[in-house]
Amino acid sequence: MGSFGKKIERFWEVFYKYNGYQRVLTGLRNTVYIAVLGLAIGIVIGTIIAIVEVFPKYKRLPRILNRICRLYVGLFRGTPIVVQLLVAYYVVLPLLGLNLPALHVCVIVFGLNSGAYVSEIMRSGILSVDPGQLEAARAVGLSYRVSMMKVVVPQAVKNILPTLGNEFIVLIKETSVVSFVGAADLYVAFNYIGTNSYEFMVPYLVMALIYLVMVMAIAFLVRIMERSLRKSDRSN
Amino acid sequence: MIEVIDLKKSYGSLEVLRGITITIKEGEKVAIIGPSGSGKSTLLRCLNCLEDPTSGSIIFEGVDIADMRVDINLYRRHMGMVFQQFNLFNNKTVLGNIMLAPVCIALHDLRVKKVKNLFIRIKNLFSRNKTPLYEITKTRQQIIDEARENAMRLLKRIGLEDKADAYPSTLSGGQKQRIAIVRALAMNPKVMLFDEPTSALDPEMVKEVLDLIRQLADEGMTMVIVTHEMGFAREVATRVLFMDEGRIVEENTPQELFSNPQHPRTKEFLSKVL
């Protein structure tokens, strides 16, 4: 136990006296930055893909668009996000001759990646609404677009919102791989502290705790949101 | 009013409707009976193109609505539909359910007129012979108020005005179905299509729904009813169609068809259900 106390002491020294906490704060900020912006981009892309996928496919254009979307989703769900990051940073960027900071690349890749997952969330959310609802709206003479906007989508949102919260949790956790392309996240900060105090046990333990607290806080918010949505489901 | 000519519908290799030809005149109450899987519901759903017919035509007010180029939404407004599972909009209150279509459609028309007027005004600036503007008689608010008034009147008619702000999930099946009927009436339809309106109801709620349908029939509404309630079909219908395996096997007045069926298949069916 004595050695553990010493380890904490050494961690505290680097964390506090040598400004390790500033790196931790930067890392935390980057983690949240990537996850939030990634989810925002993901929601935009996911919405577009979901619209294409649930749109009736009598004509050729929706069918072609649908193919493209399936390919996109297949591509981003079929490879690990680390691989996508590395490919984006070391293959795509040089090929395009672009020079972007690692953080921005991370935001884009996480956005594209979560777009694939969010599209599935939205698609299943829309499909889980009783088809009779759309039929009834069409039967009174509303167009497909108006029926979707006024009847189906508002009901789908109840299924979608809590699941989006879970997607956010997944994103927060997955950001721990961004150091592969040199973006400074929580792992980089605590790794720095570990290297400088020659001691890794406490830093990584604290890092785990921070992730855990973040995720639990979001999970709690999602739970509240879920409950309030259910409430409006029952009665007025 | 509705003329169905050689209507066929198949799902893949499964032929559900094998050539249906019927004429429904104004004021008629047509009941469609038959065993499950005989295509009754499919026929009814083809009448307002909820199912696209594979071939054949459906002439409603002189227009073939089975044609994909026709804007079906315009014609569906004049055909009320009532479903077996009620299908009230779960995210809307009772009042919202009834008002949604009239308000949405009237506001859409208003917007279209305003945009067209804008173009006409611009055109009138440059041309000598002035094109008249589209007449706009009601404001947005007036449209909404009128729709609300109409919805409340309809709710009062079925005695559910106190449920105006309730959500469908709090209502009984009979209440839901009566509201679904009233929702269809809010569009002032020329014909009402009922798809087994009482099949999903508790026995004690069947009567209140049938009473409402009977009232509508007495008021002279044209209707097509797919039903398993033989007594009701006999009493309300002016004509009964018996369907089996995608064809109309026999059609006659209810008195004749029920008491003196001609086709052996009709005899067999009626002997089982009556």
Side-chain angles (χ1 to χ4, degrees):
Chain A
M1 210 49 221
S3 74
F4 193 65
K6 216 178 270 175
K7 281 175 177 176
I8 291 178
E9 234 169 67
R10 234 189 282 161
F11 166 74
W12 188 248
E13 199 179 356
V14 179
F15 180 76
Y16 189 68
K17 291 191 187 135
Y18 294 97
N19 287 342
Y21 68 92
Q22 275 180 353
R23 282 171 187 262
V24 171
L25 284 180
T26 314
L28 196 62
R29 198 199 63 201
N30 286 347
T31 291
V32 174
Y33 182 78
I34 294 170
V36 170
L37 280 186
L39 188 68
I41 296 173
I43 288 175
V44 173
I45 295 176
T47 310
I48 295 170
I49 294 179
I51 289 172
V52 170
E53 283 183 340
V54 299
F55 198 80
K57 292 165 191 68
Y58 298 123
K59 300 202 179 109
R60 187 179 287 167
L61 181 68
R63 249 184 259 156
I64 294 172
L65 287 176
N66 190 49
R67 279 272 178 78
I68 296 171
C69 288
R70 296 310 312 165
L71 185 71
Y72 175 90
V73 172
L75 210 62
F76 277 90
R77 295 209 310 177
T79 49
I81 187 136
V82 186
V83 174
Q84 290 163 20
L85 270 178
L86 293 174
V87 168
Y89 197 72
Y90 294 109
V91 180
V92 178
L93 279 194
L95 282 181
L96 294 175
L98 287 173
N99 195 9
L100 282 178
L103 190 65
H104 292 181
V105 176
C106 289
V107 166
I108 293 168
V109 170
F110 271 79
L112 291 173
N113 180 279
S114 84
Y117 286 92
V118 170
S119 78
E120 289 294 298
I121 292 172
M122 294 198 166
R123 191 175 68 103
S124 69
I126 291 172
L127 291 184
S128 70
V129 175
D130 173 16
Q133 297 283 314
L134 178 62
E135 272 179 7
R138 296 306 308 272
V140 284
L142 296 174
S143 66
Y144 179 79
R145 193 179 61 83
V146 174
S147 305
M148 288 302 271
M149 291 315 295
K150 299 273 179 180
V151 177
V152 178
V153 170
Q155 293 182 53
V157 165
K158 281 186 189 173
N159 305 325
I160 290 170
L161 272 186
T163 326
L164 272 186
N166 291 330
E167 170 67 14
F168 187 55
I169 289 176
V170 170
L171 275 180
I172 290 263
K173 290 191 292 184
E174 279 190 342
T175 53
S176 56
V177 300
V178 298
S179 56
F180 271 74
V181 293
D185 72 332
L186 274 181
Y187 163 75
V188 173
F190 281 103
N191 195 43
Y192 166 85
I193 293 174
T195 337
N196 283 282
S197 60
Y198 311 109
E199 198 286 303
F200 286 92
M201 186 192 269
V202 181
Y204 285 166
L205 200 61
V206 174
M207 176 171 78
L209 278 178
I210 292 181
Y211 272 116
L212 194 63
V213 167
M214 269 200 292
V215 167
M216 280 168 75
I218 300 165
F220 178 70
L221 292 177
V222 169
R223 188 92 49 81
I224 291 179
M225 187 167 67
E226 217 170 3
R227 205 174 298 158
S228 71
L229 286 174
R230 290 271 170 280
K231 211 184 284 168
S232 69
D233 221 15
R234 290 269 152 67
S235 59
N236 40 9
Chain B
M1 174 175 256
I2 303 180
E3 213 182 329
V4 180
I5 302 164
D6 198 27
L7 177 70
K8 286 184 184 148
K9 171 73 185 175
S10 40
Y11 298 101
S13 60
L14 179 70
E15 258 190 312
V16 185
L17 298 178
R18 313 173 180 217
I20 303 269
T21 302
I22 45 172
T23 311
I24 296 159
K25 295 194 201 71
E26 197 161 348
E28 258 193 314
K29 295 107 184 64
V30 178
I32 306 176
I33 60 170
S36 317
S38 58
K40 310 180 296 285
S41 287
T42 310
L43 171 59
L44 194 78
R45 291 160 59 82
C46 278
L47 288 183
N48 67 352
C49 292
L50 272 187
E51 306 282 351
D52 291 315
T54 311
S55 72
S57 42
I58 299 158
I59 317 283
F60 177 63
E61 301 192 307
V63 179
D64 182 5
I65 56 173
D67 190 336
M68 291 294 267
R69 284 164 296 185
V70 168
D71 182 5
I72 185 68
N73 297 325
L74 292 178
Y75 297 95
R76 281 193 184 134
R77 295 176 194 178
H78 305 302
M79 306 172 117
M81 177 127 185
V82 175
F83 298 86
Q84 184 178 352
Q85 299 295 340
F86 329 128
N87 292 347
L88 290 181
F89 307 134
N90 295 325
N91 58 326
K92 302 257 173 215
T93 62
V94 167
L95 198 62
N97 263 278
I98 303 173
M99 285 170 59
L100 180 70
V103 169
C104 274
I105 289 167
L107 289 184
H108 179 258
D109 289 349
L110 181 70
R111 272 198 301 275
V112 169
K113 273 186 193 169
K114 278 184 175 165
V115 171
K116 278 185 179 163
N117 277 352
L118 182 70
F119 280 107
I120 292 173
R121 281 210 188 87
I122 293 170
K123 188 180 152 233
N124 282 352
L125 284 180
F126 299 104
S127 80
R128 195 165 304 155
N129 33 348
K130 307 288 185 202
T131 319
L133 296 177
Y134 285 92
E135 212 175 319
I136 293 178
T137 46
K138 291 179 219 160
T139 63
R140 206 185 132 78
Q141 196 55 47
Q142 272 169 328
I143 287 171
I144 295 171
D145 289 342
E146 234 166 68
R148 176 173 291 121
E149 225 167 83
N150 190 35
M152 286 310 290
R153 183 179 60 75
L154 287 165
L155 277 178
K156 218 166 266 170
R157 169 181 181 164
I158 56 171
L160 289 176
E161 65 265 42
D162 56 324
K163 297 283 185 194
D165 296 318
Y167 280 87
S169 51
T170 62
L171 303 173
S172 75
Q175 290 172 331
K176 281 186 200 173
Q177 193 61 301
R178 283 187 289 150
I179 288 163
I181 293 173
V182 155
R183 174 177 70 180
L185 288 180
M187 293 301 294
N188 295 320
K190 297 191 171 122
V191 53
M192 288 283 284
L193 311 173
F194 294 92
D195 187 3
E196 304 194 19
T198 57
S199 295
L201 292 175
D202 290 343
E204 56 174 339
M205 292 166 181
V206 169
K207 188 173 174 296
E208 59 186 68
V209 172
L210 290 186
D211 282 344
L212 178 58
I213 300 175
R214 198 174 288 127
Q215 271 180 34
L216 291 178
D218 290 343
E219 288 166 15
M221 174 70 77
T222 312
M223 44 176 85
V224 184
I225 311 169
V226 170
T227 185
H228 290 297
E229 301 275 335
M230 297 302 153
F232 182 72
R234 185 177 216 155
E235 176 199 345
V236 171
T238 55
R239 189 151 55 111
V240 180
L241 310 181
F242 175 74
M243 279 185 75
D244 190 36
E245 292 182 339
R247 288 196 183 86
I248 295 177
V249 175
E250 190 168 347
E251 67 173 288
N252 216 328
T253 60
Q255 292 79 16
E256 275 297 303
L257 191 118
F258 283 111
S259 54
N260 187 19
Q262 299 298 315
H263 198 278
R265 188 69 189 86
T266 322
K267 284 180 191 167
E268 187 197 338
F269 176 75
L270 288 177
S271 72
K272 279 182 195 157
V273 297
L274 286 181

